[in-house]
Amino acid sequence: MQSPRAAANVLAYPDGASDEVARSEEAGTVAQNAGRRHTDTGPSRDPVHTASLAEMALEFIKSHRLPADPPSFEVWYTYAGRFIPALNQSLNEVLKSDQPLTADRVEHIYGKFVSSFRLGEHVEAIGGKIEGHVGDALSTISAALGSTHKYSENLSDLDRRLGPNADPATLRGVIDNLLRATAEVEARNKKYERQLEDSQSQIRLLQVNLDAVYLESRSDSLTSLSNRKFFDQAFAAAVAHAKKSGDPLSFLMCDIDHFKYFNDTYGHTSGDDILRLVATVIKKLVRAGDVAARYGGEEFTVIMQNARLPDAIALAERIRAAVMSREMNIRSTGKTIGRLTISIGAAQLRDVEEPLDLIERADAYLYKAKRAGRNKVVATS
């Protein structure tokens, strides 16, 4: 099998723009066929073809020494198959640069492209189903109106047959026809009512699913806090509101101390448990209306609208103390691995400050807390 770097260059230069591509004809054929199959017929489910993409994905993961977790595998599998062109472009830019390809960067690419791609598919599918059920409901209403119109015509016809000198037999016939027409209308209306109730039930269920997809689109899958994409939107809106209203806005940037050590020493499962534990602490302590988010990796943020710096420092201290009070155990063995600590930078938006300046200032305070020995809250430079 071709080397991962050769495969990366093949995908980076699909038109054979590099000498290495020319020397990797087999890899180029695999990648080109992957892209062609997706474009023409949707992602292939051929066992041989999908196995070759899976092998390429694993080679990429191994060569860059990345965790072989599902998000990482899906990123590289998607890359090998060229299923999302924007993802390939983003990864190619990193591969061609001198920047290291870290697990956090791959996770960011996953969240930006793969998750949003799946979200778009879910929304489109649910929207199509809702449209179908609405169409069924409209058809049912149209049929019901047609039935009512037909019943009205029957009544008009019976009225014409009821002259001033109608004999008893004619009168009896008119009554029988009226009763029969009424029974038919009642039966049809009950059928239409059941159909409308079924459509309403299906639409309500799909609405619940759509709400779940919306929640998924704004939540971090591991910690259930707001994700980075939602944070970016909420932060921009909060700063704009603060500048317009004059209300104070404070911001916390938090980072788990020695997280890499815990993650490397006890494994990614324990690392995930640590992230979830810290997220739970933050979620319980923030005020109603605050936006707590996983900023990336082991970093968390809190947006505090209508809060001055002393309020932010007080919340940060509560978070720091609560995290320090927790003792971590390895789930599989029950072994205690020690207490966690967290460093936090706190800042309040200044009158002439841009949004990015506030983030950078809180981040600078955070790293001052790290340099001062960790497990601290710093709010001044």
Side-chain angles (χ1 to χ4, degrees):
M1 185 173 182
Q2 77 280 1
S3 71
R5 178 58 62 182
N9 285 331
V10 168
L11 295 173
Y13 304 99
D15 297 326
S18 74
D19 293 336
E20 190 163 2
V21 172
R23 293 194 300 269
S24 306
E25 183 176 352
E26 180 184 355
T29 302
V30 171
Q32 288 167 4
N33 286 342
R36 188 179 302 116
R37 291 182 192 190
H38 175 73
T39 302
D40 295 342
T41 62
S44 170
R45 298 188 65 83
D46 174 69
V48 176
H49 172 64
T50 53
S52 69
L53 294 182
E55 289 175 5
M56 291 176 68
L58 288 173
E59 286 297 327
F60 282 122
I61 289 171
K62 291 177 183 176
S63 70
H64 294 290
R65 297 182 179 180
L66 296 166
D69 53 16
S72 182
F73 179 82
E74 191 164 2
V75 165
W76 289 109
Y77 185 93
T78 302
Y79 179 82
R82 292 181 178 180
F83 300 146
I84 307 175
L87 178 146
N88 282 56
Q89 181 180 357
S90 181
L91 263 175
N92 287 334
E93 290 174 356
V94 178
L95 291 171
K96 289 186 289 184
S97 71
D98 295 329
Q99 299 175 348
L101 187 58
T102 62
D104 285 345
R105 188 177 291 274
V106 172
E107 182 182 1
H108 175 72
I109 290 173
Y110 174 84
K112 183 176 181 180
F113 297 105
V114 181
S115 292
S116 60
F117 182 75
R118 299 249 182 255
L119 176 65
E121 289 183 331
H122 293 328
V123 171
E124 184 177 353
I126 293 173
K129 290 179 180 178
I130 290 178
E131 184 178 355
H133 285 296
V134 169
D136 292 342
L138 291 175
S139 297
T140 300
I141 293 171
S142 178
L145 291 174
S147 175
T148 302
H149 181 68
K150 183 177 180 181
Y151 182 64
S152 176
E153 288 181 340
N154 285 338
L155 290 179
S156 298
D157 181 62
L158 293 175
D159 182 60
R160 285 192 295 272
R161 292 172 59 187
L162 282 174
N165 300 317
D167 56 76
T170 301
L171 182 60
R172 183 63 192 175
V174 168
I175 292 173
D176 288 344
N177 288 335
L178 179 59
L179 291 173
R180 184 168 56 252
T182 301
E184 290 175 354
V185 167
E186 287 179 349
R188 282 195 293 268
N189 284 345
K190 286 182 179 179
K191 174 185 174 184
Y192 297 145
E193 184 178 350
R194 287 193 298 270
Q195 290 176 343
L196 285 173
E197 287 176 351
D198 182 63
S199 293
Q200 288 175 340
S201 176
Q202 293 297 326
I203 290 172
R204 281 195 296 270
L205 179 61
L206 290 169
Q207 183 62 52
V208 170
N209 291 337
L210 197 59
D211 291 342
V213 169
Y214 172 71
L215 181 62
E216 179 185 347
S217 73
R218 56 184 286 176
S219 300
D220 175 65
S221 59
L222 179 64
T223 64
S224 297
L225 295 179
S226 298
N227 59 21
R228 176 62 182 273
K229 184 175 183 179
F230 181 75
F231 163 81
D232 290 339
Q233 297 170 348
F235 185 73
V239 171
H241 173 77
K243 287 184 174 293
K244 182 177 180 179
S245 65
D247 293 337
L249 173 70
S250 291
F251 179 68
L252 303 183
M253 178 72 80
C254 316
D255 187 274
I256 301 172
D257 296 329
H258 302 296
F259 178 77
K260 188 176 186 304
Y261 166 78
F262 285 111
N263 205 45
D264 292 346
T265 305
Y266 301 105
H268 292 287
T269 300
S270 294
D272 289 348
D273 288 342
I274 289 172
L275 292 170
R276 279 190 284 263
L277 185 149
V278 172
T280 300
V281 169
I282 293 174
K283 192 185 304 184
K284 286 182 178 179
L285 292 177
V286 296
R287 310 171 308 167
D290 290 345
V291 176
R294 184 183 178 194
Y295 192 73
E298 67 271 26
E299 287 188 319
F300 300 88
T301 57
V302 182
I303 304 170
M304 302 177 64
Q305 293 197 68
N306 201 24
R308 298 189 182 279
L309 187 59
D311 300 321
I313 294 173
L315 174 60
E317 284 290 353
R318 287 195 295 273
I319 292 173
R320 185 196 62 79
V323 169
M324 188 177 62
S325 70
R326 302 298 182 95
E327 194 168 60
M328 278 298 301
N329 298 317
I330 300 176
R331 281 189 294 173
S332 58
T333 64
K335 177 184 176 182
T336 298
I337 62 178
R339 295 188 182 277
L340 298 175
T341 62
I342 190 169
S343 298
I344 304 175
Q348 181 179 333
L349 181 69
R350 295 168 176 167
D351 291 340
V352 295
E353 198 167 38
E354 295 300 318
L356 185 59
D357 296 331
L358 175 59
I359 293 176
E360 290 180 345
R361 193 155 53 84
D363 195 50
Y365 296 161
L366 164 64
Y367 280 96
K368 184 176 181 181
K370 294 279 189 183
R371 291 191 297 271
R374 298 181 172 83
N375 190 27
K376 298 181 184 300
V377 175
V378 172
T380 56
S381 56

